[in-house]
Every structure is written in structure tokens, then in C-alpha cells.
Amino acid sequence: MNRDVEDFEQWVHARGGALARSAYLLTGDLHLAEDLVQETLARVAQHWKRVSRRGNPDAYARQVMHNLAIDRWRRRSVRPPELLTDSHPEVGHGGPDVERRLVLRDALAQLTPKQRAVVSLRFYEDLTEVQAAAVLGCSVSTVKSQTRDALARLRSIAPEEVLR
């Protein structure tokens, strides 16, 4: 049993940052992202033995995270409105890309939750359309149309950043 706990802890230390960035892309709020990561890690920990035996805990965690995010979107009336904060796990306190990242952050905030999820999976997680559809539990054509619509919206909001 100790070995499973050690393996889980090592995996969390290795993948925690990536999970936090993905959660932020999905929620658009640092605090909601932290909650989403904690909930995801709790679910992964419950099934760690089975998940680690299958050999792809990243995929399982990604699917859990997106399912939890979708559940939250469906309960819009009981959740607080999405608000972006000045803190951003990717931006930090400075650097050459800060302005660009802030423009992209603001542009992403104007997408629908499903569009943000698709953009996150396709371009940040680098999943194929089929893989993204499996994570989101929708059809490949839905992923394609949401990607098309999201990119069109991003191009209209921040053309200089999206076309780079």
C-alpha cells in the first residue's frame, strides 16, 4: 500500500503544474482552478491502483477534470460568475510574453466554457479531435464545430495574437 501512495505522490508532483494550468484554462479563475485540481486529485487518488495499473493516469485525470468542469457548467445557477484575477499560473510576475498572455487570457475568457475546453484540449493538451471528443463525451463533429467557432471568435477578438 505504501508503494501506491508514493507513486501517487510522485505523479502529483510531476503533473500538478500541468493540471493547474489546464484547470485555469477551463475555469478562467485561479480559485476555481485550484478547487477543480483538488477535486480531480481526490478522484484520481480514489482509483489510483486501477489507474496506475492501466498505465495512463494523465489521461484519466484529464477526463475526470473535464467531466467535473462540465458538471460545473451545467450548474450555472449555483456557481459564482467566472471572474479572472490578476494572478495567472502561466504569467507570473513578469517576462517578455506578459502582454501577449494577458491578451490571450482575456480573449479566452470571452469564449463559452465548451469552447474553452475544446481549445484547451486541442491546442494546450495537444489532443486529436477524436481524443478530445472522448474526454468531453461528445461527437467528433461537435469538437470540430466548437474548435472552428472558438478560433473564429479568438481571431476577431485578438487577431494579432491568434495568427502568430
Side-chain angles (χ1 to χ4, degrees):
M1 189 69 137
N2 269 346
R3 184 68 186 146
D4 287 335
V5 172
E6 289 175 18
D7 287 346
F8 177 71
E9 287 177 353
Q10 287 176 350
W11 177 79
V12 169
H13 287 293
R15 300 298 298 153
L19 289 172
R21 287 185 294 274
S22 293
Y24 183 82
L25 289 172
L26 289 170
T27 63
D29 178 89
L30 186 60
H31 302 292
L32 291 175
E34 289 171 349
D35 292 345
L36 183 58
V37 169
Q38 289 301 316
E39 220 175 318
T40 300
L41 291 176
R43 300 258 178 114
V44 172
Q46 285 177 333
H47 304 286
W48 180 253
K49 199 171 197 173
R50 177 179 48 91
V51 169
S52 63
R53 198 176 8 177
R54 289 187 179 167
N56 200 350
D58 290 354
Y60 181 76
R62 193 171 30 246
Q63 185 159 11
V64 166
M65 180 178 290
H66 283 82
N67 287 341
L68 288 170
I70 289 168
D71 289 346
R72 286 181 179 183
W73 302 335
R74 289 181 180 150
R75 296 185 312 235
R76 282 182 186 262
S77 62
V78 295
R79 73 178 168 98
E82 294 175 2
L83 299 172
L84 293 177
T85 63
D86 292 335
S87 302
H88 186 288
E90 289 275 327
V91 173
H93 295 292
D97 289 339
V98 171
E99 281 187 41
R100 179 173 176 247
R101 289 179 182 190
L102 291 174
V103 168
L104 286 173
R105 179 195 69 179
D106 293 342
L108 286 170
Q110 295 182 43
L111 298 179
T112 66
K114 194 161 197 169
Q115 288 173 341
R116 268 199 317 270
V118 170
V119 168
S120 167
L121 289 171
R122 293 283 292 125
F123 302 105
Y124 180 73
E125 298 284 343
D126 201 27
L127 297 183
T128 65
E129 291 165 340
V130 173
Q131 292 168 325
V135 168
L136 294 173
C138 65
S139 69
V140 174
S141 61
T142 298
V143 170
K144 288 180 181 181
S145 66
Q146 290 293 316
T147 302
R148 181 195 65 229
D149 295 345
L151 290 177
R153 193 162 185 189
L154 288 172
R155 285 184 185 110
S156 70
I157 296 168
E160 65 283 351
E161 300 303 329
V162 176
L163 297 176
R164 278 187 172 183

